[in-house]
C-alpha cells in the first residue's frame, strides 16, 4: 500500500526547466530542508513545499557564487567598505559565500586576536556566508598554526609593499620559510606575485596617462615573482596559489609547473578578462589596480589559459576605497589607490564577455563557484547537489541592464563598469533556503573544514 504515504513537505521547493545540476542544465525540482538540498528530481514529480518558487521561462537556477578574494576592510577602514555593504553587494550579485582578505582592515588578520576582531564585527552584519584568510608577514610564523586551527582558509603574503604599512611583504626566503611551516598542516599559501625590484627599476607612473602606469608595473615583475613562487613550492612541496594573474607571459611556466606536479593553482579576475589598457581614458583611476589591466592581446591569452585549465578559476579581488583615495581631482595614477570594485557585478561582467566568446553559463559557474569552492575546501558549496547548502542565484542570462553606480550596494560609488551595458540579471539570491532581502543579515561565519556550514 503506497497511496496513504504522506508526500514529504519541504521548507522550499524550486522547480523549472533550467536548473544547473552537476550534469548540466536540466528540468528539475529541488527540495530544500533545514537549509540543505535534500531532493533533486525530474520536473513533474510535484515535490511539495511550504514555499514554492517556479522559475520563469528565462531563468536558470545556479549555485550561489563563491568569491574567494574580497577586501571588506572592516574593522579599521570601514569607510572604504564594510561587512554590511560588501555582503549586501555580494547578495545582489548572486554571490552567497565570500572569503575576506587579511589586510586593509586594522588590525590585519595576522594572529588569532586579529581574526577574532574581524569575526566579532562580521557576524551581526553578514548577508552572505563569510570566511577568512590569514596573513603571513615577517615575524608571524609562530602565529600561523593558531590561525589555521581557528579555521582560516589559508594564508596570504605579498612579495612587495602591500599598499598598507601594517601588512608588510615577505622576501622569497621568508616566503619559503612560511611554506615550510604551512606544509606541516597542509595549509595553502596565496601570493600577491609582483617583484619589488622589477617595479623599483620601472619608470614612475606620475600623471593621468594610463600607459605610464602600465609601464610602471611591467609584466616582468609578475613573471619574476611567479617563477619564484613556483620554484619555492617545488622545493618545499607546499600548496601555493597565485592571486589575480594578469600577465599572460606567465602561462607557459605555470603550465609546465603543473605538469611537473608542483601543487599550484591560479586565479584571474573579471577586470583582466573584460577590460583592456587601450580603452582606459586619461585620469580614469577607477581602472587602477595592481597588477594592472593589460593590453587586448594579453586578455585573449588569459581566456585561452582559462579554457585550457592553466588558470583554475575567477575571483573578483574586490578592493574598494573611498572616492578621495582614487584622486578624482587630478586622476593621477601614481597617487590613486589601486583596486577595482566589482563584487556586485562580477557574474554579469564575466557572463557578458563569455557569451560573446561562445562560452556556456555552465563553464562560467564552474570558474566562479564550483572550482573556487573545491580549491579552498568548502565542501557543501559550489554545486547544486543533494546534501549541499541550498545556496542559489536565480539568473536571467538574456536579460540586460546598464550599470548605474547609485544602484550598487558598494559603500563608495566608483567602478570602471559604470555606464556599461551588461547581459545577465540576478533576480533572486537564496542562502541556505532563505531568500536574501538586503534587510535581514542571514549569513554565517564559516571555517575551513566545516561541513555544510554546520
Amino acid at each position: 500500500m503506497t497511496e496513504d504515504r504522506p508526500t514529504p513537505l519541504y521548507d522550499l521547493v524550486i522547480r523549472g526547466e533550467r536548473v544547473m545540476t552537476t550534469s548540466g542544465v536540466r528540468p528539475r525540482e529541488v527540495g530544500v530542508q533545514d537549509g540543505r538540498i535534500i531532493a533533486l528530481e525530474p520536473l513533474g514529480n510535484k515535490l511539495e513545499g511550504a514555499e514554492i518558487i517556479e522559475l520563469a521561462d528565462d531563468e536558470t537556477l545556479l549555485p550561489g557564487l563563491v568569491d574567494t578574494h574580497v577586501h571588506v576592510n572592516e574593522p579599521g577602514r570601514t569607510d572604504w567598505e564594510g561587512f554590511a555593504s560588501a555582503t549586501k553587494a555580494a547578495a545582489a550579485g548572486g554571490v552567497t559565500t565570500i572569503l575576506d582578505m587579511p589586510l586593509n582592515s586594522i588590525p590585519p588578520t595576522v594572529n588569532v586576536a586579529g581574526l577574532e576582531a574581524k569575526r566579532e564585527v562580521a557576524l551581526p552584519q553578514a548577508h552572505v556566508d563569510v570566511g577568512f584568510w590569514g596573513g603571513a608577514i615577517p615575524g608571524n610564523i609562530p602565529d600561523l598554526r593558531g590561525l589555521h586551527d581557528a579555521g582560516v582558509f589559508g594564508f596570504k603574503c605579498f612579495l612587495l609593499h602591500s599598499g598598507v604599512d601594517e601588512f608588510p611583504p615577505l622576501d622569497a626566503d621568508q616566503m619559503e620559510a612560511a611554506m615550510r611551516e604551512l606544509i606541516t598542516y597542509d595549509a595553502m599559501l596565496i601570493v600577491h606575485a609582483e617583484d619589488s625590484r622589477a617595479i623599483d627599476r620601472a619608470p614612475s607612473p606620475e600623471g593621468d596617462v594610463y600607459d605610464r602606469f602600465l609601464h610602471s608595473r611591467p609584466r616582468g615583475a609578475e613573471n619574476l615573482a611567479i617563477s619564484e613562487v613556483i620554484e619555492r613550492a617545488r622545493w618545499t612541496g607546499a600548496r601555493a596559489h597565485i592571486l589575480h594573474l594578469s600577465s599572460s607571459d606567465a602561462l607557459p611556466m605555470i603550465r609546465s609547473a603543473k605538469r611537473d606536479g608542483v601543487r599550484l593553482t591560479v586565479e584571474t579576475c573579471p577586470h583582466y578578462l573584460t577590460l583592456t589598457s587601450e580603452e582606459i581614458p586619461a585620469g580614469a583611476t577607477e581602472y587602477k589596480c595592481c597588477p594592472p589591466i593589460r593590453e587586448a592581446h594579453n586578455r585573449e591569452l588569459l581566456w585561452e589559459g582559462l579554457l585550457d585549465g592553466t588558470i583554475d578559476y575567477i575571483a573578483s579581488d574586490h578592493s574598494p576605497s573611498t572616492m578621495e583615495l582614487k584622486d578624482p581631482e587630478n586622476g593621477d595614477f601614481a597617487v590613486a589607490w589601486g583596486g577595482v570594485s566589482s563584487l556586485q557585478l562580477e557574474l554579469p561582467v564575466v557572463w557578458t564577455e563569455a557569451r560573446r566568446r561562445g562560452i556556456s553559463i555552465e563553464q562560467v559557474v564552474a570558474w566562479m563557484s564550483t572550482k573556487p569552492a573545491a580549491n579552498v575546501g568548502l565542501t557543501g558549496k559550489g554545486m547544486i547537489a543533494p546534501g549541499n547548502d541550498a545556496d542559489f542565484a536565480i539568473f536571467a542570462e538574456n536579460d540586460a541592464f546598464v550599470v548605474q553606480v547609485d544602484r550598487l550596494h558598494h559603500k563608495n560609488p566608483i567602478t570602471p563598469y559604470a555606464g556599461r551595458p551588461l547581459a545577465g540579471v540576478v533576480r533572486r539570491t537564496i542562502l541556505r533556503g532563505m531568500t536574501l532581502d538586503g534587510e535581514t543579515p542571514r549569513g554565517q561565519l564559516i571555517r575551513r573544514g566545516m561541513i555544510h556550514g554546520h
Side-chain angles (χ1 to χ4, degrees):
M1 298 286 286
T2 54
E3 53 270 20
D4 56 0
R5 187 190 304 152
T7 316
L9 185 70
Y10 294 97
D11 297 334
L12 168 67
V13 170
I14 305 175
R15 44 182 184 234
E17 293 291 339
R18 297 183 51 81
V19 173
M20 190 174 295
T21 69
T22 52
S23 61
V25 174
R26 301 277 186 270
R28 288 288 184 269
E29 303 189 0
V30 184
V32 174
Q33 192 70 39
D34 298 326
R36 307 259 295 277
I37 299 165
I38 303 298
L40 193 56
E41 298 194 6
L43 187 62
N45 279 17
K46 300 222 177 344
L47 297 181
E48 288 299 318
E51 182 187 0
I52 293 184
I53 297 173
E54 305 268 3
L55 299 178
D57 292 342
D58 66 340
E59 291 174 345
T60 306
L61 187 69
L62 309 180
L65 300 195
V66 175
D67 188 344
T68 57
H69 194 151
V70 179
H71 293 270
V72 180
N73 307 332
E74 186 176 11
R77 290 193 176 92
T78 311
D79 52 337
W80 296 21
E81 194 65 276
F83 284 100
S85 53
T87 58
K88 266 185 205 183
V95 178
T96 49
T97 303
I98 64 169
L99 297 191
D100 169 63
M101 283 291 162
L103 73 157
N104 302 352
S105 55
I106 303 171
T109 317
V110 294
N111 50 39
V112 171
L115 176 64
E116 290 310 327
K118 206 169 260 203
R119 282 189 168 147
E120 199 174 313
V121 294
L123 183 58
Q125 303 188 73
H127 289 265
V128 300
D129 283 358
V130 179
F132 301 92
W133 293 105
I137 61 170
N140 85 325
I141 282 180
D143 294 300
L144 301 181
R145 182 67 203 239
L147 280 164
H148 175 79
D149 291 345
V152 300
F153 284 83
F155 296 88
K156 180 178 194 177
C157 71
F158 278 72
L159 294 177
L160 79 174
H161 193 281
S162 69
V164 293
D165 292 337
E166 66 279 354
F167 200 96
L170 302 180
D171 64 27
D173 289 341
Q174 291 168 320
M175 174 176 69
E176 184 183 335
M179 286 178 174
R180 291 195 187 281
E181 166 68 15
L182 297 181
I183 195 174
T184 63
Y185 32 93
D186 204 30
M188 179 162 57
L189 188 68
I190 64 173
V191 186
H192 181 125
E194 287 181 288
D195 183 271
S196 58
R197 297 158 304 174
I199 288 172
D200 290 343
R201 295 189 177 213
S204 72
E206 278 77 36
D208 65 357
V209 178
Y210 183 77
D211 253 14
R212 282 196 66 167
F213 170 65
L214 185 58
H215 289 120
S216 78
R217 310 285 292 210
R219 293 159 181 252
E222 254 189 288
N223 306 338
L224 260 175
I226 289 169
S227 67
E228 197 74 80
V229 175
I230 287 171
E231 295 318 309
R232 305 290 172 141
R234 191 194 306 273
W235 303 343
T236 59
R239 286 183 70 195
H241 176 78
I242 304 292
L243 297 165
H244 46 53
L245 178 71
S246 94
S247 169
S248 63
D249 294 357
L251 290 168
M253 128 177 105
I254 292 165
R255 206 169 281 133
S256 71
K258 286 184 161 194
R259 237 190 340 256
D260 289 347
V262 176
R263 298 169 73 204
L264 184 71
T265 49
V266 184
E267 70 184 48
T268 190
C269 305
H271 37 281
Y272 303 130
L273 295 168
T274 58
L275 307 174
T276 61
S277 62
E278 291 91 341
E279 71 186 303
I280 297 176
T285 52
E286 61 270 28
Y287 289 84
K288 177 182 174 178
C289 56
C290 300
I293 293 160
R294 301 190 190 277
E295 305 82 355
H297 174 65
N298 184 83
R299 176 181 70 172
E300 297 313 300
L301 292 171
L302 291 177
W303 277 102
E304 285 176 28
L306 266 171
L307 286 166
D308 71 17
T310 307
I311 300 172
D312 296 270
Y313 56 83
I314 301 169
S316 69
D317 189 10
H318 176 72
S319 184
S321 71
T322 60
M323 296 293 281
E324 302 77 66
L325 284 172
K326 280 290 189 184
D327 191 39
E329 309 77 54
N330 308 310
D332 186 337
F333 284 100
V335 173
W337 176 259
V340 168
S341 286
S342 61
L343 183 51
Q344 187 169 335
L345 298 169
E346 59 185 299
L347 177 56
V349 162
V350 174
W351 170 237
T352 301
E353 186 66 28
R355 184 164 87 152
R356 204 170 65 70
R357 295 165 179 274
I359 295 168
S360 70
I361 188 66
E362 290 96 321
Q363 179 64 77
V364 168
V365 167
W367 288 327
M368 300 186 78
S369 183
T370 316
K371 288 180 175 175
N375 193 49
V376 301
L378 269 171
T379 45
K381 306 276 191 196
M383 287 185 290
I384 297 177
N388 278 10
D389 289 349
D391 299 350
F392 309 113
I394 296 178
F395 189 58
E397 62 186 61
N398 298 317
D399 208 347
F401 68 105
V402 172
V403 177
Q404 295 170 270
V405 284
D406 56 353
R407 293 266 182 93
L408 299 176
H409 293 286
H410 308 153
K411 190 167 277 185
N412 289 284
I414 180 166
T415 177
Y417 303 109
R420 280 180 183 258
L422 296 177
V425 172
V426 175
R427 294 202 181 143
R428 189 194 293 229
T429 303
I430 295 166
L431 180 71
R432 292 205 182 81
M434 292 178 291
T435 294
L436 299 178
D437 58 8
E439 300 295 317
T440 312
R442 300 188 181 281
Q444 295 184 14
L445 304 189
I446 54 176
R447 296 166 189 245
R448 173 194 40 75
M450 241 169 131
I451 306 295
H452 310 304
H454 292 298

